[in-house]
Amino acid sequence: MKRSLLLMLPLCAALTACQTTSKQSVCDGFKKLTPSLETTIAILRKDRPFADQVASHNRFGSSQGCWK
């Protein structure tokens, strides 16, 4: 039992040392959504709230400078 606890101590220390050093951006994970014309028409007809969410996503990304 003591041996396994002693082995876990260096492992825990190594894991806590792992941190990201790069600066986070509001654009991380964002990509402009560009459905085809046929998909856009189908979504507008069948699921207007989702179409509004796609438009809102694209407006937000554009306003943050994530894409032009």
Side-chain angles (χ1 to χ4, degrees):
M1 178 79 176
K2 277 187 174 184
R3 184 175 180 202
S4 63
L5 288 176
L6 289 176
L7 292 174
M8 287 185 64
L9 184 61
L11 179 62
C12 291
L15 288 175
T16 58
C18 295
Q19 295 180 5
T20 58
T21 58
S22 62
K23 186 176 180 182
Q24 298 294 318
S25 169
V26 70
C27 298
D28 288 350
F30 258 87
K31 184 177 179 184
K32 187 173 185 178
L33 301 175
T34 55
S36 68
L37 179 60
E38 295 87 16
T39 302
T40 302
I41 291 169
I43 291 171
L44 284 171
R45 287 184 181 158
K46 296 179 181 181
D47 194 355
R48 185 58 187 236
F50 178 69
D52 293 339
Q53 290 172 356
V54 170
S56 176
H57 167 89
N58 287 343
R59 276 193 307 272
F60 176 77
S62 182
S63 72
Q64 297 298 311
C66 297
W67 51 79
K68 305 294 177 205

